[in-house]
Amino acid sequence: MGSSAADSSEFNEPLTPLGRFFLQPEMNQIIHCAMGFTNPINIDAVKSHLKTSLLLSHPRFSSLLLRHSNGLQHWQKTTPSVDLDRHIVVINNPVLTTSPSVDHETAVNAYLADLSTTSAGILGTDVDKPLWELHLLMAHNCGVFRIHHALGDGMSLMSLFLASFREVDQKDDEEKGLGGGFVKEVRLVNGEEKNINIPTLASAGGKRSKRLVGFTGGKRSWVWLLEFVEMLWFNMVFVVEFLMRCLWLSDQKTEISGGNGVELWPRKLATARFCLHDMKLVKKTVPNAVSDMMKSSGSSWGNKFGMFHLPIHCHKSSGTDPLECLKRNKVMLDRKKKSVEAHFSNKIACFVMTYFGQKIATWFLYRLVCNASFTISNIVGPQEELALGGNPVTYLRINASSLPQALVMHLVSYAERADLQILVTKDIIPDPAFLAKCFEEALLDMKEAAAAIGRT
């Protein structure tokens, strides 16, 4: 696979500021998307599917990351087309040969934990292929996409996955009772037009509460004025706090705090599984506790995300109301939604990277992560099941390379459930499976408390 100057006119796009940030050694990020399958993996069917999918036709997944003579990096289309044999890694034997009785989930998580501390195969000294791979764990019926974060953020990649990994005729959907949840599209496949049903992303649903906003006398004008003043106040407080955390303000050291170079320490990974119905029941009891995560199934491409800090309250005494902590977090989330902290974090990162260079910007954001206790992110997944090469996907789980923290969590919804991947430094948190169990039981406790309130 090579590249030529002739391709630059077809696709030659400079790397975005946040894309350059993810290529720095301190924050080199690889996204891992694990997909479990119902049937044994057919390698030929997987390759055939990928060749006709939107994944390979997307410029980022078929372009090299090159560097200009002036040092700036850019994407350039590959010539010839993508060689799938260089991107698909087939592993036939079980990944944990020392313990043949280990279940598939534990084995796959151990494999992902090992991958979390390396970028081998994706980004070496010479980048001579697009920055993604697909590892097929044949003994565990699992495929692991390794995608460099410089290609795009979670929402961009999820949108592309939805368009690439479910290609079913409308007739087949109607027979299965699935026709209502898909976006219809006509696509050219092998020279023939074919009706394609693309799964839609889940949304928070429900109607937004109406605000009392007005400019003409009476209570509404005062309510609007108070809300406006409150918004300005929280904007100022949260933005100042964000800048302080980037520079020197740090969380108090606890049992889960890491040390210097913690992102390189050996890792463990465990999965906490939740039912979306239970989450919705709890949310209904504590209205608006979770903001709308996506207004539509479409999203623009790139790394366009922000970060904000949330305080964590520890409850040591037994008998505490399971919903009390959630109610307290709801108050803080409502305040965060009235601020521009998340937008500000994105803009300040781009500004510093553009005008002060990669080293200063990387130090700036690296300190932001180091000064927080842990990181948690969430991605809205598909409401319907996906399939790759005609093989239905049983689960969809996402995690990323290690951050300079001892605890990093990623949540993604899929069909009627949501899976939380808990990546830990095993010297600090030796049993993440116990932590996952605690999270699962916490949701069940909140569900019971919510159901009790509903009966009264």
Side-chain angles (χ1 to χ4, degrees), residues 21-274:
F21 166 71
F22 284 121
L23 289 171
Q24 303 308 303
E26 298 88 345
M27 297 296 291
N28 188 19
Q29 285 286 290
I30 310 294
I31 298 174
H32 300 134
C33 179
M35 307 170 72
F37 299 106
T38 302
N39 305 314
I41 299 174
N42 185 320
I43 299 176
D44 292 334
V46 170
K47 290 182 178 180
S48 177
H49 188 125
L50 290 177
K51 287 179 180 178
T52 58
S53 71
L54 291 179
L55 186 74
L56 293 190
S57 63
H58 193 282
R60 295 285 175 87
F61 282 78
S62 56
S63 297
L64 301 178
L65 180 61
L66 302 180
R67 187 182 297 273
H68 284 293
S69 57
N70 60 6
L72 296 179
Q73 294 157 312
H74 66 104
W75 303 103
Q76 183 168 298
K77 192 76 173 179
T78 60
T79 302
S81 59
V82 175
D83 182 2
L84 284 179
D85 291 332
R86 300 191 63 205
H87 291 268
I88 296 180
V89 179
V90 179
I91 301 175
N92 291 299
N93 297 325
V95 296
L96 285 181
T97 56
T98 56
S99 303
S101 60
V102 172
D103 61 276
H104 293 305
E105 179 179 296
T106 301
V108 172
N109 280 342
Y111 185 78
L112 292 170
D114 290 340
L115 291 179
S116 67
T117 56
T118 178
S119 60
I122 293 288
L123 187 63
T125 55
D126 296 319
V127 180
D128 61 350
K129 67 178 183 180
L131 304 184
W132 65 274
E133 289 180 342
L134 173 59
H135 293 205
L136 298 178
L137 310 183
M138 306 299 289
H140 306 288
N141 275 356
C142 178
V144 177
F145 274 95
R146 301 192 73 206
I147 303 168
H148 201 284
H149 214 317
L151 290 177
D153 58 21
M155 291 309 303
S156 297
L157 296 172
M158 183 61 70
S159 297
L160 183 60
F161 270 36
L162 297 185
S164 301
F165 299 141
R166 181 72 182 193
E167 299 187 351
V168 182
D169 286 335
Q170 181 177 354
K171 180 179 179 181
D172 294 335
D173 279 340
E174 291 174 351
E175 291 176 355
K176 299 176 182 179
L178 300 175
F182 290 82
V183 177
K184 309 301 180 184
E185 178 180 315
V186 177
R187 189 182 301 166
L188 192 65
V189 179
N190 295 328
E192 298 181 1
E193 289 188 353
K194 185 178 180 181
N195 290 325
I196 303 300
N197 297 327
I198 302 175
T200 55
L201 290 175
S203 61
K207 297 182 179 180
R208 296 192 177 194
S209 59
K210 296 181 179 180
R211 295 174 179 257
L212 297 177
V213 178
F215 295 92
T216 57
K219 183 178 179 180
R220 292 192 175 188
S221 296
W222 283 106
V223 170
W224 179 88
L225 180 60
L226 289 175
E227 287 189 348
F228 181 73
V229 172
E230 184 184 32
M231 180 190 67
L232 290 179
W233 169 254
F234 286 126
N235 269 298
M236 182 183 68
V237 171
F238 293 143
V239 167
V240 171
E241 182 186 14
F242 179 86
L243 291 174
M244 292 170 60
R245 285 189 171 275
C246 290
L247 298 174
W248 74 86
L249 185 61
S250 177
D251 285 350
Q252 182 181 359
K253 295 297 182 181
T254 66
E255 287 79 2
I256 65 171
S257 300
N260 293 331
V262 67
E263 61 268 30
L264 302 178
W265 297 3
R267 297 273 162 162
K268 280 187 175 182
L269 183 68
T271 302
R273 294 175 295 275
F274 308 103

